[in-house]
């Protein structure tokens, strides 16, 4: 293993066997993922629900056994040395790991002791993380009384209580209000600054763009694009103009018109919208509006944007991840 690499994956796979009406059906949740996570970075897994993000993390945390492929985590073989991985990795699931009947302090002390830390040190560590994550005002209350943001702070503290070198965060800010999300972003960045390597799954593009050094976009169990946020956005090309129309019939006519009369890098259709990628979008937009209006194709709404991670997802899948999220 390369000393700069914390995770190395080759063709990792996970297939589930489901029983429906007495018949067995195989579902490929992860289909041959290749991945390298370098030491000291925040690596993001970006994708919609059901893409394979959480399944991959559960395999890397040894909660699920792979169906195929191979991987090393912190130099340890994922299958043969799973006990070593558990001792050196922190994992924070979407569901969280706190016992809600216990106080935050009790949860932290218990978690530390489960990792073999003596009682005195466990109490000291609980106090340390309580202060670090600004939980001292409520840490001795039952966790059932915590807000969503307070529970996520406790969950991350539980994942860090044994001072792991690698932290796996599975959608840490899902369902949180903007203020709680912003706070956790700051704390996650601080963990990186302290030398912790973080593998973070998210379905929020702004989160991946803000936090991650490297991003792998995953869809249907396969990685479809990988790079830094800037590299991925540059791969899209020029500016993106989105024209929204009132019906699929108008969309079809607009697609034909624009394809015929405009020099485009890319044109894609998603439901009632036409996505154009072209250079100098701001200068070209007035001419495009005149062209559509002159052909009696009224535009319902229009947006102009520099390339985003959603544009990257659209490029590689032919659909918008925002729409995927709304359909869940």
């Amino acid at each position: 293993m390369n000393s700069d690499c914390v995770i190395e994956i080759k063709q990792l796979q996970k297939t589930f066997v489901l029983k429906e009406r007495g018949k067995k059906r195989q579902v490929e949740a992860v289909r041959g993922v290749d991945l390298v996570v370098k030491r000291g970075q925040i690596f993001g897994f970006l994708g919609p629900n059901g893409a394979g993000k959480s399944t991959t993390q559960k395999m890397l945390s040894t909660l699920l056994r792979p169906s195929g492929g191979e991987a090393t985590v912190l130099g340890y073989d994922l299958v043969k040395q799973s006990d070593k991985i558990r001792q050196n990795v922190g994992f924070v699931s979407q569901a969280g790991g706190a016992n809600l009947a216990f106080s935050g302090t009790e949860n932290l002390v218990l978690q530390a002791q489960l990792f073999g830390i003596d009682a005195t040190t466990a109490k000291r560590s609980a106090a340390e993380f309580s202060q670090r994550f600004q939980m001292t005002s409520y840490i001795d209350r039952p966790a059932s009384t915590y807000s969503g943001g307070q529970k996520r702070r406790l969950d991350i503290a539980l994942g860090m209580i044994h001072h792991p070198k690698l932290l796996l965060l599975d959608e840490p800010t899902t369902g949180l209000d903007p203020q709680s999300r912003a706070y956790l972003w700051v704390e996650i960045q601080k963990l990186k600054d302290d030398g912790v390597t973080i593998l973070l799954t998210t379905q929020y593009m702004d989160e991946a763009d803000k936090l991650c050094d490297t991003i792998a976009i995953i869809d249907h169990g396969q990685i479809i694009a990988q790079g830094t946020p800037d590299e991925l956005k540059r791969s899209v090309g020029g500016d993106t103009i989105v024209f929204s129309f009132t019906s699929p019939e108008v969309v079809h006519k607009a697609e034909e018109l624009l394809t015929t009369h405009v020099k485009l890098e890319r044109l894609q259709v998603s439901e009632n919208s036409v996505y154009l990628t072209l250079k100098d979008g701001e200068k070209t937009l007035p001419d495009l509006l005149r062209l559509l209006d002159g052909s009696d194709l009224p535009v319902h709404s229009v947006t102009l944007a520099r390339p985003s991670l959603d544009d990257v997802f659209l490029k590689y899948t032919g659909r918008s991840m925002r729409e995927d999220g709304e359909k869940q």
Side-chain angles (χ1 to χ4, degrees):
M1 172 181 169
N2 188 321
S3 60
D4 291 333
C5 298
V6 172
I7 299 174
E8 291 186 273
I9 301 173
K10 295 180 181 179
Q11 287 298 296
L12 194 66
Q13 302 168 39
K14 183 60 184 180
T15 301
F16 294 100
V17 179
L18 304 180
K19 289 185 178 180
E20 296 179 350
R21 300 178 182 178
K23 296 183 180 180
K24 292 183 179 181
R25 179 171 67 91
Q26 290 191 339
V27 176
E28 293 181 288
V30 177
R31 307 179 181 186
V33 165
D34 293 322
L35 200 64
V36 174
V37 177
K38 294 183 179 179
R39 189 176 307 279
Q41 70 172 184
I42 300 178
F43 191 103
F45 246 167
L46 175 65
N49 288 334
K53 307 186 303 295
S54 296
T55 300
T56 301
Q57 273 211 343
K58 287 178 180 177
M59 286 190 283
L60 294 174
S61 66
T62 75
L63 291 176
L64 283 177
R65 189 178 180 89
S67 302
E70 57 186 55
T72 58
V73 179
L74 295 168
Y76 300 113
D77 184 272
L78 183 59
V79 175
K80 298 176 182 178
Q81 298 174 293
S82 57
D83 56 333
K84 294 289 188 181
I85 292 173
R86 294 189 192 105
Q87 286 293 323
N88 291 281
V89 171
F91 176 56
V92 180
S93 72
Q94 290 183 51
N99 185 324
L100 299 183
F102 291 179
S103 70
T105 296
E106 289 169 333
N107 271 284
L108 291 168
V109 170
L110 175 60
Q111 182 82 342
Q113 289 179 312
L114 289 174
F115 278 98
I117 299 172
D118 65 85
T120 300
T121 305
K123 291 177 182 177
R124 187 166 58 247
S125 293
E128 171 195 336
F129 280 100
S130 172
Q131 185 171 13
R132 173 168 185 165
F133 289 104
Q134 300 179 25
M135 298 186 292
T136 53
S137 63
Y138 57 85
I139 195 66
D140 291 320
R141 288 176 7 214
S144 59
T145 68
Y146 294 3
S147 68
Q150 291 170 343
K151 286 177 182 175
R152 289 314 271 169
R153 294 186 197 191
L154 176 58
D155 289 333
I156 295 176
L158 288 169
M160 286 298 302
I161 195 68
H162 58 302
H163 298 280
K165 300 174 183 177
L166 170 66
L167 180 63
L168 308 178
L169 295 177
D170 192 8
E171 301 200 14
T173 66
T174 296
L176 298 185
D177 61 86
Q179 184 178 359
S180 296
R181 287 184 70 204
Y183 170 79
L184 285 182
W185 286 0
V186 171
E187 290 303 325
I188 290 168
Q189 184 63 51
K190 286 180 181 178
L191 289 172
K192 176 200 168 181
D193 294 341
D194 288 343
V196 180
T197 303
I198 298 170
L199 176 62
L200 179 149
T201 71
T202 183
Q203 55 183 311
Y204 297 134
M205 291 165 291
D206 58 340
E207 186 162 274
D209 206 352
K210 174 76 174 178
L211 289 176
C212 299
D213 302 296
T214 305
I215 296 170
I217 298 179
I218 186 169
D219 189 39
H220 298 302
Q222 292 182 310
I223 292 176
I224 57 174
Q226 185 173 328
T228 68
D230 285 344
E231 287 171 347
L232 289 172
K233 286 182 281 188
R234 283 198 299 269
S235 74
V236 173
D239 297 331
T240 298
I241 298 175
V242 183
F243 291 113
S244 295
F245 301 93
T246 55
S247 70
E249 291 77 18
V250 178
V251 169
H252 179 68
K253 292 178 181 179
E255 179 185 10
E256 289 185 340
L257 178 69
L258 292 167
T259 302
T260 303
H261 292 86
V262 181
K263 185 177 181 180
L264 303 169
E265 293 183 12
R266 187 176 299 104
L267 183 149
Q268 289 179 286
V269 173
S270 183
E271 293 194 348
N272 285 347
S273 298
V274 176
Y275 292 74
L276 308 179
T277 303
L278 70 172
K279 294 181 179 179
D280 298 323
E282 187 173 357
K283 294 180 181 179
T284 308
L285 181 56
D287 293 334
L288 297 179
L289 288 170
R290 283 192 288 269
L291 176 65
L292 292 166
D293 185 60
S295 300
D296 197 26
L297 298 174
V299 176
H300 181 262
S301 66
V302 59
T303 60
L304 168 66
R306 300 293 303 277
S308 69
L309 291 178
D310 195 54
D311 299 321
V312 176
F313 189 81
L314 178 66
K315 171 186 175 180
Y316 289 101
T317 68
R319 67 187 192 282
S320 168
M321 197 166 81
R322 290 190 184 96
E323 291 174 357
D324 269 10
E326 291 168 358
K327 293 175 182 177
Q328 294 300 327

